[in-house]
Amino acid sequence: MKKITIAIDGHSSCGKSTMAKDLARKLGYVYVDTGAMYRAVTLYALRHQLITPDGTLLADELIAALPDIHISFRYNAETGRPDTYLNGELVEKDIRTQEVSNHVSPVAAIGQVREAMVAQQQQMGQEGGIVMDGRDIGTVVFPHAELKVFVTASAEVRAQRRFKELQEKGMPADYDDILRNVQERDYIDSHREVSPLRQADDALLLDNSSLTIEEQNQWLLEQARKTIEG
């Protein structure tokens, strides 16, 4: 059976990573969370004072540091999913904080950062048999992917999901702050000069505002099987 490349793009907090991980597990494919890569770069910037207390991003300094930023994924047997590593350090929990969420879009909008991450992503996906999610996978990273899906949901639904997720993890969460962050990220992601968020012409649209996780996962699996069987 042939192995294909599956690109899942869409807005923040749509559940892209969850559905992509589930699909990769069912197909026996490799999963790469590209959003986690940009979050890891943001974490690096925060740790190295490349984002000032007033929120200013020191872009030139971050660009200069890119050769020292190496991101990888390792399978976690306990969760059945890959964890994110920054320069060999497990940072899966650190990159999911609201502080990182508040700063990731400006970091991801830097052309040189995207070029560096895209190069790493393309290297990971050379052999096919991969599921990758992010903002520009179907348009920039893998424009020839056999299956492309663009995921969306209302900003309010996405903010509520993020709020619930943080609460369940025992992390501080404020719904109004999260909604504002979701709306700001949508604007920045869609209006940046380099690789703006947009639906590829040949991508299938999935609005999961009113779908359960099981329903969306089943829909995605059916699309993948149709494409693989061709």
Side-chain angles (χ1 to χ4, degrees):
M1 187 176 292
K2 68 176 181 179
K3 288 198 169 185
I4 65 172
T5 297
I6 300 173
I8 301 178
D9 290 313
H11 294 100
S12 66
S13 303
C14 268
K16 298 186 302 296
S17 298
T18 301
M19 69 177 75
K21 291 171 186 174
D22 182 80
L23 180 64
R25 180 177 56 78
K26 288 175 178 173
L27 295 176
Y29 279 22
V30 174
Y31 165 73
V32 176
D33 179 356
T34 61
M37 297 176 73
Y38 291 104
R39 284 177 170 273
V41 176
T42 304
L43 179 65
Y44 180 96
L46 287 165
R47 286 179 170 181
H48 290 79
Q49 291 78 50
L50 302 182
I51 297 174
T52 65
D54 67 359
T56 301
L57 173 61
L58 306 180
D60 290 342
E61 286 86 341
L62 178 57
I63 292 167
L66 285 172
D68 300 320
I69 301 175
H70 304 284
I71 299 159
S72 58
F73 297 92
R74 299 179 197 171
Y75 183 76
N76 183 325
E78 288 187 14
T79 63
R81 292 173 175 175
D83 285 334
T84 309
Y85 285 76
L86 172 60
N87 293 335
E89 176 195 351
L90 174 62
V91 293
E92 186 63 33
K93 187 172 182 180
D94 304 75
I95 63 173
R96 306 297 175 184
T97 64
Q98 190 60 37
E99 183 183 21
V100 170
S101 295
N102 288 340
H103 296 289
V104 66
S105 286
V107 169
I110 297 173
Q112 291 90 335
V113 171
R114 299 203 73 82
E115 288 172 10
M117 295 302 103
V118 167
Q120 291 191 34
Q121 293 155 15
Q122 289 174 331
Q123 190 170 9
M124 293 174 189
Q126 286 177 344
E127 304 300 321
I130 194 165
V131 181
M132 194 174 287
D133 74 278
R135 301 287 198 280
D136 59 357
I137 311 307
T139 55
V140 175
V141 183
F142 295 121
H144 303 297
E146 291 89 341
L147 175 60
K148 301 177 187 178
V149 177
F150 189 88
V151 190
T152 190
S154 73
E156 290 76 15
V157 166
R158 289 181 282 136
Q160 184 59 43
R161 289 173 180 167
R162 178 76 176 147
F163 176 72
K164 184 179 178 183
E165 177 188 1
L166 291 172
Q167 277 196 320
E168 289 175 348
K169 291 180 178 178
M171 300 171 74
D174 179 278
Y175 173 79
D176 290 334
D177 285 346
I178 293 170
L179 176 59
R180 189 161 46 249
N181 174 250
V182 165
Q183 292 168 333
E184 287 174 355
R185 290 179 67 185
D186 284 353
Y187 184 86
I188 293 172
D189 290 343
S190 300
H191 290 78
R192 64 179 175 232
E193 290 186 18
V194 181
S195 306
L197 172 66
R198 66 175 181 84
Q199 181 179 344
D201 294 337
D202 53 348
L204 302 175
L205 178 65
L206 171 61
D207 186 330
N208 65 8
S209 296
S210 58
L211 297 180
T212 65
I213 292 176
E214 292 74 18
E215 288 171 339
Q216 71 179 17
N217 288 351
Q218 184 58 37
W219 180 89
L220 191 57
L221 182 60
E222 288 173 4
Q223 305 309 316
R225 284 176 173 163
K226 281 182 194 175
T227 306
I228 291 169
E229 292 165 5

